[in-house]
Structures are given as structure tokens and as C-alpha cells.
Amino acid sequence: MGIIKISDEVHDEVRKSCHVMSRSINAQAEFWIKMGRLAELNPTLTFSELIVKELENANADTVLKVVK
């Protein structure tokens, strides 16, 4: 495990979001990092499509349909 230095402003945004999303600060930051990486690797997919793709990759029993 490493340490990543982020600005105080980004840390404050992570702290606010983690409470809303019921995640720890570290889990929220990791989620944002993962989703940002996926978005860069798949620029034509929406956030919802990325989530569905990740659920499919995880062999989730129930995959939610993207609502358009």
C-alpha cells in the first residue's frame, strides 16, 4: 500500500462524498480513481455503461439495465 498526496480541496470533496455514498474516505478515493481510469480507457462509454460493464466482468448475478 502506498501513500498518495492530494490537495486539501480534493480531500474535502472526497470526505463530503464518502458520507453521501456510505464509503470510507479511502474507498471513495479508490472508487473515483478506478472510474477515472476506466473512463480514460473507454472514452465512448457513459458512467452507467462503465458500471454495467464492471458488474458483468465481476460475474454479478443481476446486472442492471442502463436507463436511457
Side-chain angles (χ1 to χ4, degrees):
M1 178 187 337
I3 295 175
I4 298 173
K5 293 185 180 190
I6 59 174
S7 70
D8 290 339
E9 293 82 15
V10 172
H11 190 269
D12 289 342
E13 291 301 317
V14 173
R15 184 186 314 278
K16 291 175 196 173
S17 295
C18 78
H19 295 296
V20 173
M21 302 304 293
S22 299
R23 297 182 178 120
S24 69
I25 291 175
N26 287 344
Q28 183 66 39
E30 187 174 326
F31 177 74
W32 280 356
I33 290 167
K34 179 178 181 175
M35 294 310 297
R37 183 173 181 269
L38 287 171
E40 285 185 344
L41 293 172
N42 302 280
T44 61
L45 298 181
T46 66
F47 176 79
S48 296
E49 291 168 334
L50 289 171
I51 295 293
V52 168
K53 186 175 176 182
E54 285 301 294
L55 287 170
E56 290 171 346
N57 289 342
N59 296 319
D61 291 336
T62 304
V63 177
L64 302 175
K65 298 288 183 185
V66 176
V67 178
K68 294 185 179 185

